[in-house]
Amino acid sequence: MPVVLGIDDTDSRERGMCTTYVARTVADGIRDAGGEVERLLLVRLNPAVPYKTRGNAALAVHADIDPEAAFDVAHDVLAAAAETDDENTNPGLVVAPHAPEDAPDDVAAFARDAMRDHHAIDDATELADAHGYHRAGWKNARGTIGALAAVGAWRAVPEWTYEYISYRYPDARGTPRDVDYDSVFAAADEAYPAAWDTVDRGEGQAVCVPRTPGPILHGIRGDDPETVREVAERIESEPVESTALFRTNQGTDAHLRDAALADARDGRSYRVDATVADPPETREGGHVFLTLKDGDAALDCAAFEPTKRFRDRVRALRAGDRITACGEVADGTLKLEKFAVRDLNGTELVTPDCPECGRSMKSAGRNQGYRCRDCGTAAAGKVDRPVDRELERGWYEVPPCARRHIAKPLVRGGFDAPTHPEK
Ligand code: ATP
């Protein structure tokens, strides 16, 4: 019988577990119990939720097995994962006795909202109960939110990408990862752009190798399952304990909602059209700030230091430029992930030059315009002068090293203007 298992919040910062590994372990348990596993989903939910450990991931296992048996297998795995003192680890499990495509409309809508908005724990438990799903929650059971969202995700996510994860042997975990970085860069170059965000060439960083503790050796992201597997297999490294292929909404911008600037609220991510009001300013720590406006509404915007060379693009903006800005709003500030230049302000107001001698004119007094004392020429006021602009029309983005899991790299295409991809 088709079953969808949703799993979330089995992570602990201190123990460095990871929910993808828990899902993979559940999948093994299902096979051992005589069931079949069709696929694994790695669903990134609203990156602005405050409870997340890191990337706000929820997992689904699509299987063919008796739902009670599926529940028993997953319950045992999660109960073990729940044995942590980390107060932020609140596992949740939801088992839906239907095929992934048969998730009810309200469960699909719950998943859609989980990527862009905020849910309460009760909303998740009530909706799961209304559909007769089996569920379990540990501690405050907040993981039920992500678990139910993972159940509805197959219908809520319009576009899927892939991640192929290779795991470390247990005795290696916590020690430095032994990976041959030349082989990572070579494999990444070969597969680009079907595999993306494998490395950051500008920073010389292997983005696919996590820097936090945990069982993942590397995770390769891309548009198709063959490419991501091939890249992983070309990487030379310490022995790999096991691997798993996930379908995911990573790299899709599923978190962004279109809105007017005036409607942007904390805790959500947006795509807004606006004009640059105050020019960009670099402040302590290398963070770049600017203010956007649209009509009477204004919104602060930031490109923080970790966005590296993206800040040069942001600094190249001028007051009067029309842009579309994308990013999460927190504390009243939109944290830029990408922006599109729609219209560049190509002129600046300057003191006129004398038409006779070519030298800059001098002010003739308050509100009296300008004149050239030597030649006796006069001008009524400042004049427009064209400025050279480094930016072109189209989309600019943060580099791979600063990419949010859910954010869509420009190289994936489908944007409404020319793109300037970072790689
Ligand atoms: P990692 O990336 O290391 O796997 P994580 O960042 O995925 O960890 P979780 O441990 O899954 O973090 O914690 C996120 C918590 O927030 C979960 O309990 C999940 O149910 C909850 N959550 C997810 N999305 C929402 C939402 N939209 N509204 C409210 N709570 C949410």
Side-chain angles (χ1 to χ4, degrees):
M1 184 178 176
V3 174
V4 184
L5 295 94
I7 298 167
D8 196 14
D9 209 342
T10 60
D11 256 17
S12 135
R13 236 183 249 271
E14 291 124 53
R15 288 204 324 169
M17 229 325 126
C18 128
T19 310
T20 69
Y21 193 78
V22 170
R24 203 208 120 264
T25 309
V26 168
D28 284 348
I30 286 173
R31 289 191 197 94
D32 291 347
E36 278 174 34
V37 174
E38 195 185 347
R39 67 175 79 79
L40 302 174
L41 302 187
L42 162 53
V43 187
R44 298 290 179 173
L45 303 176
N46 182 354
V49 309
Y51 321 106
K52 66 176 181 179
T53 316
R54 283 184 293 261
N56 204 6
L59 276 293
V61 180
H62 294 175
D64 198 345
I65 186 175
D66 169 62
E68 301 278 349
F71 184 84
D72 290 345
V73 166
H75 188 279
D76 287 352
V77 176
L78 266 78
E83 282 170 23
T84 153
D85 295 334
D86 190 331
E87 60 173 35
N88 286 319
T89 301
N90 300 290
L93 167 66
V94 173
V95 177
H98 56 60
E101 56 275 19
D102 293 335
D105 289 348
D106 51 6
V107 176
F110 183 92
R112 220 167 277 125
D113 289 343
M115 292 185 271
R116 298 182 178 186
D117 216 325
H118 297 264
H119 285 303
I121 301 172
D122 287 352
D123 297 341
T125 52
E126 282 164 23
L127 188 56
D129 291 348
H131 289 294
Y133 293 166
H134 303 262
R135 67 174 170 85
W138 286 261
K139 297 195 265 177
N140 77 13
R142 188 181 311 281
T144 313
I145 297 172
L148 185 64
V151 169
W154 193 242
R155 283 198 52 211
V157 173
E159 173 192 21
W160 294 95
T161 65
Y162 293 85
E163 178 157 353
Y164 189 81
I165 300 184
S166 301
Y167 296 99
R168 313 184 72 191
Y169 276 96
D171 59 3
R173 295 177 200 166
T175 65
R177 289 170 175 83
D178 182 8
V179 174
D180 175 56
Y181 287 95
D182 290 341
S183 71
V184 176
F185 278 85
D189 282 345
E190 181 94 353
Y192 186 83
W196 29 265
D197 288 358
T198 313
V199 297
D200 186 317
R201 291 160 183 88
E203 290 295 311
Q205 193 182 317
V207 181
C208 62
V209 180
R211 288 192 282 187
T212 47
I216 296 180
L217 182 61
H218 47 71
I220 308 301
R221 298 174 180 194
D223 294 334
D224 67 83
E226 296 78 29
T227 304
V228 289
R229 177 178 287 117
E230 280 163 20
V231 171
E233 284 169 356
R234 289 193 53 184
I235 295 175
E236 289 162 29
S237 71
E238 66 185 53
V240 169
E241 181 224 53
S242 58
T243 60
L245 177 70
F246 295 87
R247 283 225 202 185
T248 141
N249 64 343
Q250 289 169 169
T252 66
D253 275 346
H255 61 318
L256 297 180
R257 51 169 80 217
D258 293 310
L261 190 77
D263 296 330
R265 300 277 172 275
D266 279 0
R268 296 166 173 192
S269 303
Y270 295 93
R271 200 184 281 117
V272 291
D273 293 325
T275 304
V276 177
D278 299 334
E281 182 189 300
T282 305
R283 299 200 193 139
E284 203 181 325
H287 313 304
V288 179
F289 291 86
L290 57 94
T291 307
L292 296 178
K293 66 167 195 245
D294 181 38
D296 291 338
L299 183 66
D300 289 335
C301 233
F304 291 106
E305 190 280 332
T307 64
K308 302 294 175 196
R309 54 196 187 269
F310 178 60
R311 294 171 300 158
D312 294 333
R313 303 282 165 243
V314 176
R315 282 190 199 102
L317 287 166
R318 294 186 61 219
D321 288 344
R322 296 270 320 153
I323 67 169
T324 301
C326 301
E328 175 192 330
V329 178
D331 302 323
T333 300
L334 186 143
K335 300 186 273 182
L336 276 174
E337 295 168 11
K338 56 167 74 82
F339 66 87
V341 173
R342 303 299 185 185
D343 248 323
L344 287 171
N345 173 8
T347 58
E348 60 185 344
L349 272 182
V350 292
T351 305
D353 290 337
C354 169
E356 302 283 333
C357 69
R359 283 199 295 260
S360 183
M361 292 174 152
K362 299 280 176 291
S363 171
R366 209 173 132 78
N367 294 329
Q368 312 260 321
Y370 296 88
R371 66 191 169 90
C372 175
R373 284 194 199 110
D374 298 336
C375 307
T377 54
K382 288 200 169 176
V383 292
D384 275 341
R385 182 171 70 189
V387 265
D388 279 346
R389 299 299 308 268
E390 275 172 44
L391 294 172
E392 293 165 19
R393 280 189 185 214
W395 288 95
Y396 293 90
E397 66 181 353
V398 299
C401 69
R403 187 108 53 217
R404 313 200 83 163
H405 304 291
I406 201 167
K408 183 172 181 175
L410 296 178
V411 72
R412 296 205 58 233
F415 290 86
D416 63 3
T419 55
H420 307 276
E422 289 289 346
K423 53 182 207 166

